[in-house]
Amino acid sequence: RRRAAQLAALALAVVALVAAPPPDFGAGMTDSPTLGVLLSVLAAVGLPFLVLATTGPNVARILGGAPYRLYALSNAASLGALLVYPTLLEPAFTLSTQATLFAGGFGLYALLGAALVVGDRAAVVTPEALIDPPPPRPWLRWLALSAVPSGLFMAVTNHLGTNIAPMPLLWVLPLALYLITLILCFDHPRWYRRAWFVGLLPVCLVFLGLLRTNMFVHGSLIVQVAGVCGALFMACMALHGELARLRPGPEGVTAFYLTLAVGGALGGVFVAVLAPALFVTPLEFPLLLLATAAAVGVSWRLDPPEDWRVAKVAGAFLWLFVGLFVVLTAGLEFHQARIALTQVRGPYGALRVSDLGTGDNAIRSLINGTIRHGAHWTDPARRHAPSTYYSATSGVGRAVTALRARGPIHMGVVGLGAGSLADWLRAEDRGVFYELNPQVEDIARQWFFALPEAKAPIEVVIGDARRRLSEERPRGYDLLVVDAFNSDAVPTHLLTRECFELYRQHLAPGGLLAVHISNRFVSLEPVLGAEARAGGWAGRVIFDHVDDADVMHFASKWVLMASNAETLAGHPALTEGRALGDDALPAPWTDDYAPLWGLFEWR
C-alpha cells in the first residue's frame, strides 16, 4: 500500500506539472494579494514540490545508515542550487527554457524515485515491531526549535531588505546562512560547541535588537550587513544545534522530519502571512528575538551542560536579555507610535507618515523602512513647490516644462507615493496615477497636500499598472511617467519589451516617456539603452545633482524617451544630459528573460 501510494503521488505530480494553470491563476480568485500568490504557487508547483520534499526522508529510510548526514547533504545541495540559480541559470536561460529544463529534470527525478520505491525492501513492518510503542519524543521542543529559526531568518531578511540595504537578491544571503547552520549542525556534533554559541547568543540578540533603534543607520553598509548576518548565523547555530541534540534514532526519523517541516512552515507563515495582518509595525522581529532566547534557554535548562557554572552564567545572561529587551521594545514601540502621524501595514509593506522639524520648517515624509516615497513642506507657502526627485531641473521637471509650451498636458504616472507630481499640473491639465497599494492613496489624500489641493482633475487607478494599462483603451498621454524604481526594488515586468510597447500605445503623437531610475544598487540605464536600440526610441539620460542650499532638492536620475529623435531635439530643455544607449545590454529585457545579475553596482 505504501509503495502504491508513493508511485501514485509521483504520477500525479508529473500530471500536475504538465497541466499547471497559468501563472496568474490565483490573482482573480481573491482580493488578497498574499492569498492570490499562494494559490498561484500551489496550483503551479504545489504537488510536485510536496513530492520533492518527501525525497530526503524516503531515501534516508531506504538506504539506512546515517540519515542525518544525508539530511546535511540534502541541505548542502539546496544551498548549491540557491547560489547557482541567480548567478548562472537565470542569466543563461529564458523562463520558458527554464520551465522545460525543470520539467525534464522532474521527469528524471520521478523515474529515479519510482525505481527506489519499487526496489524498497527496507521498511517491512513485522508484528514484533508493533509490540512496544516508540518512546515519547520532545514534539514541542522539535517544533519550537525548527519554527523559531525559520521565522527569524525571514524577519531578519525583511529588516535587512527594508531598513539597511533594499537591494534585489539580498534575501539569498540570510537563507544561505540558515541552510549552512542546518548543514553544520546535522553533519557532525563537533561543529556545535554549546558553550560558545549559547554564551554569545545574548550579545548577538542585543545587536539585532538595537537595529530597530536605527542606531547604526549611518554606518558602513558592509559592516551593517556583515554584523546582521553574523548575528543571524550565531542565533541559528544555537537553535539548530539544540535541535540536532534532540534528534531521535532511526525509528523516529520520519516523525522528526515531519515535525521539522511543520515547524519551518509555521515560522514562515507567521512572518509572511500572520504578522502583516496582526501588527501595524514589524513587531514580529523583536518577538522572534525573544522566542530565540526563550527556546534556547528552555532547552539549556532541560538539558544542562555538565559544568553547572557555565549553565547558570549562560542562563542568567539569556534571561537578563529577555527582561531588558522587553523594556526596550515596549519603549521603542511607544516612541514610534508617538512621533508618527499614522502607521499602516499591508501585503506591500509597512508605511508611516511623520514630520521632521517644527513650524514653517517642518517636512512631512512618507517612509517605508529607510526609503522616502514622497515629502512636502507643511508650510502652505511652500508645500506645492516642485521638490525632492521632481524639481524643475530633474528629468520629469524638464519634460513638463518642454511640453507646457504646446498646451495643456495629459499626464499618466505609474506610482503615486505622496502624489507630488500632481503639483506640476495646472487647471487645464489632467492627471492619472496608477498605484498598486490602496493604502498609499488613502495616505496621500489624508496626510499630504498634492492630491487634495490639486488644481487639475486627478484620477487614481488602483492595481498593477501594467495590467490596468493593458485593460484600458489608449489614453493619449502627452507625458507618461514611470516612477516605480526609486525604492531600490525593481519590478522587472515594467521594463520589458512587451511593456514598452504598451507604453507606446498610450502615448499621444509627440508624447514623452519619463522613467525614474534613481537606484543605489542596480544600474537600469543599460536596460533602457537596449530597449531604445531595439524599439527605435530616442533617449536622454538626465542626472539632477543635490542642491546643498535646499534640503528638499534630492539627487535623481531620469531617462526621457520618445518615439523619434525629433521630439527630443525640438525642446531645448531636453537636450541636456547624455544620449541613452552608450552601455546598453546586448538585448532588451522581455517577459521571458529579465535577469538582474550583472546590473549590480558593487559599492
Side-chain angles (χ1 to χ4, degrees):
R1 288 196 295 270
R2 178 179 51 73
R3 291 194 191 99
Q6 288 181 288
L7 291 172
L10 283 168
L12 288 174
V14 172
V15 172
L17 191 62
V18 173
D24 59 350
F25 168 78
M29 299 181 63
T30 174
D31 293 331
S32 168
T34 301
L35 186 57
V37 169
L38 290 175
L39 288 174
S40 296
V41 173
L42 283 173
V45 295
L47 185 56
F49 185 78
L50 177 65
V51 173
L52 281 170
T54 66
T55 305
N58 273 329
V59 173
R61 180 183 50 77
I62 293 170
L63 298 182
Y68 300 111
R69 292 296 301 275
L70 291 174
Y71 183 64
L73 179 64
S74 173
N75 281 291
S78 297
L79 176 62
L82 174 70
L83 299 178
V84 164
Y85 178 77
T87 57
L88 297 179
L89 294 182
E90 188 184 32
F93 301 107
T94 64
L95 289 177
S96 56
T97 302
Q98 292 175 41
T100 301
L101 292 173
F102 177 74
F106 191 85
L108 177 61
Y109 157 81
L111 291 175
L112 293 172
L116 274 178
V117 171
V118 170
D120 179 11
R121 298 291 186 272
V124 178
V125 180
T126 62
E128 290 79 8
L130 299 176
I131 295 174
D132 295 321
R137 303 182 184 94
W139 304 99
L140 290 179
R141 291 170 68 188
W142 289 354
L143 198 65
L145 290 169
S146 57
V148 173
S150 173
L152 182 63
F153 102 80
M154 289 185 65
V156 169
T157 301
N158 290 341
H159 183 83
L160 197 63
T162 302
N163 297 294
I164 296 179
M167 62 183 295
L169 298 181
L170 189 64
W171 56 268
V172 170
L173 189 55
L175 180 52
L177 293 173
Y178 172 84
L179 291 173
I180 289 172
T181 60
L182 281 172
I183 296 167
L184 294 176
C185 292
F186 283 91
D187 175 70
H188 195 280
R190 64 174 172 266
W191 302 116
Y192 176 58
R193 303 295 181 89
R194 292 187 87 192
W196 282 98
F197 286 104
V198 177
L200 291 174
L201 183 61
V203 178
C204 297
L205 294 178
V206 167
F207 175 79
L208 290 173
L210 289 176
L211 289 174
R212 294 200 69 230
T213 66
N214 291 327
M215 180 180 295
F216 310 108
V217 70
H218 298 297
S220 166
L221 179 63
I222 294 178
V223 172
Q224 290 187 71
V225 172
V228 170
C229 291
L232 175 64
F233 175 79
M234 296 293 289
C236 286
M237 277 295 294
L239 290 161
H240 287 148
E242 294 299 311
L243 180 63
R245 288 176 57 86
L246 298 175
R247 61 188 185 272
E251 78 287 348
V253 169
T254 303
F256 183 65
Y257 281 162
L258 177 62
T259 308
L260 263 61
V262 172
L266 289 177
V269 168
F270 173 68
V271 174
V273 180
L274 295 181
L278 295 175
F279 309 130
V280 175
T281 61
L283 195 59
E284 68 275 11
F285 185 39
L287 288 178
L288 283 162
L289 294 179
L290 291 174
T292 300
V296 174
V298 169
S299 181
W300 189 266
R301 184 177 181 85
L302 294 177
D303 184 18
E306 295 180 359
D307 189 338
W308 65 270
R309 291 170 297 183
V310 173
K312 283 187 172 294
V313 172
F317 272 111
L318 274 176
W319 295 116
L320 178 62
F321 161 79
V322 170
L324 292 176
F325 195 69
V326 167
V327 175
L328 176 64
T329 301
L332 180 62
E333 290 296 321
F334 175 78
H335 174 71
Q336 288 188 344
R338 183 175 59 85
I339 65 173
L341 298 174
T342 187
Q343 297 183 93
V344 298
R345 192 177 185 188
Y348 304 107
L351 300 169
R352 75 177 187 275
V353 178
S354 59
D355 285 349
L356 179 63
T358 58
D360 293 342
N361 291 320
I363 297 173
R364 181 163 297 172
S365 300
L366 172 61
I367 301 172
N368 176 17
T370 58
I371 303 297
R372 283 193 191 185
H373 288 270
H376 288 306
W377 293 105
T378 58
D379 177 13
R382 291 186 288 175
R383 65 191 185 194
H384 293 295
S387 59
T388 63
Y389 307 105
Y390 318 109
S391 66
T393 52
S394 68
V396 70
R398 292 175 183 275
V400 174
T401 302
L403 293 171
R404 180 76 65 199
R406 71 183 191 190
I409 297 175
H410 186 197
M411 181 170 68
V413 183
V414 176
L416 175 62
S420 301
L421 281 171
D423 288 329
W424 275 102
L425 299 178
R426 299 176 181 175
E428 65 272 16
D429 300 328
R430 289 178 295 159
V432 179
F433 287 83
Y434 299 88
E435 174 55 48
L436 180 65
N437 187 353
Q439 293 176 323
V440 172
E441 181 186 6
D442 296 338
I443 288 175
R445 293 191 182 280
Q446 183 176 356
W447 295 100
F448 291 88
F449 316 104
L451 291 190
E453 301 175 10
K455 298 176 182 177
I458 300 293
E459 176 187 357
V460 177
V461 179
I462 297 298
D464 178 74
R466 178 168 170 180
R467 175 169 291 185
R468 294 293 177 258
L469 287 168
S470 67
E471 295 169 347
E472 297 173 346
R473 304 176 75 175
R475 291 263 196 169
Y477 291 122
D478 301 299
L479 176 63
L480 181 56
V481 182
V482 183
D483 184 26
F485 312 109
N486 64 337
S487 65
D488 295 320
V490 181
T492 57
H493 73 298
L494 296 179
L495 288 178
T496 63
R497 290 269 4 239
E498 295 85 351
C499 193
F500 272 92
E501 287 305 310
L502 188 61
Y503 297 151
R504 194 194 300 270
Q505 295 172 20
H506 281 272
L507 284 175
L512 292 175
L513 178 66
V515 185
H516 189 190
I517 60 170
S518 302
N519 198 294
R520 290 180 289 174
F521 304 106
V522 180
S523 175
L524 295 173
E525 186 179 334
V527 177
L528 298 185
E531 169 57 32
R533 185 174 55 198
W537 297 84
R540 304 290 297 180
V541 182
I542 297 178
F543 185 78
D544 190 24
H545 295 274
V546 173
D547 185 350
D548 293 332
D550 184 357
V551 297
M552 287 288 282
H553 188 132
F554 299 169
S556 65
K557 188 177 183 181
W558 290 82
V559 174
L560 301 182
M561 303 174 69
S563 296
N564 55 74
E566 290 75 18
T567 300
L568 294 179
H571 300 286
L574 306 181
T575 57
E576 295 192 19
R578 65 173 183 271
L580 177 66
D582 294 341
D583 57 348
L585 293 176
W589 277 358
T590 67
D591 289 346
D592 201 33
Y593 184 74
L596 281 170
W597 195 261
L599 297 175
F600 294 125
E601 296 186 326
W602 304 104
R603 64 173 185 266

